[in-house]
């Protein structure tokens, strides 16, 4: 697990977001680098248990909870969400094997 979510940040105007870019969509600068964002606010969640064709993709009880997080500093992420994270609350972001995850602060380190 790696702390934070990897995003792009403009070193000229401070725009931050996804997808990762080589130029800034706000000011046009090519002075854009990577930034690790450690937290944000969980805006909304949903549970996914079936594929688009209706087949179950998980075993009962192993559904995948996804959510939208407004990252501190700017940008919006779609992430995997732990069961303890609550909408409208601050969550801690991490990269777990290439998947961005959000956890309640009390769950960090567990």
């Amino acid at each position: 697990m790696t702390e934070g979510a990897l995003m792009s940040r403009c070193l000229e105007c401070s725009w931050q977001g996804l997808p990762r870019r080589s130029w800034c969509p706000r000011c046009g600068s090519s002075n854009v680098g990577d930034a690790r964002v450690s937290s944000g606010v969980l805006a909304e969640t949903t549970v996914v248990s079936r594929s688009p064709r209706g087949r179950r993709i998980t075993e009962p009880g192993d559904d995948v909870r996804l959510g939208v997080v407004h990252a501190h500093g700017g940008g919006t992420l779609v992430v995997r969400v732990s069961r303890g994270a609550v909408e409208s609350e601050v969550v801690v972001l991490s990269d777990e094997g290439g998947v961005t995850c959000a956890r309640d602060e009390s769950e960090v380190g567990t």
Side-chain angles (χ1 to χ4, degrees), residues 26-47:
R26 181 188 293 157
C27 73
S29 171
S30 60
N31 195 8
V32 175
D34 290 337
R36 285 237 173 244
V37 179
S38 61
S39 62
V41 175
L42 181 59
E44 59 186 297
T45 62
T46 190
V47 175

Side-chain angles (χ1 to χ4, degrees), residues 13 17 21-22 48 52 68 93 110:
C13 73
R21 299 173 185 253
S22 58
V48 178
V68 174
L93 300 170
T110 61

Side-chain angles (χ1 to χ4, degrees), residues 37-84:
V37 179
S38 61
S39 62
V41 175
L42 181 59
E44 59 186 297
T45 62
T46 190
V47 175
V48 178
S49 61
R50 299 194 180 274
S51 73
R53 294 189 178 150
R55 291 181 294 186
R56 182 165 268 295
I57 58 173
T58 60
E59 295 298 318
D62 289 338
D63 299 330
V64 178
R65 187 171 179 223
L66 300 176
V68 174
V69 173
H70 298 298
H72 289 145
T76 301
L77 303 146
V78 175
V79 302
R80 182 172 281 191
V81 180
S82 71
R83 298 200 191 287

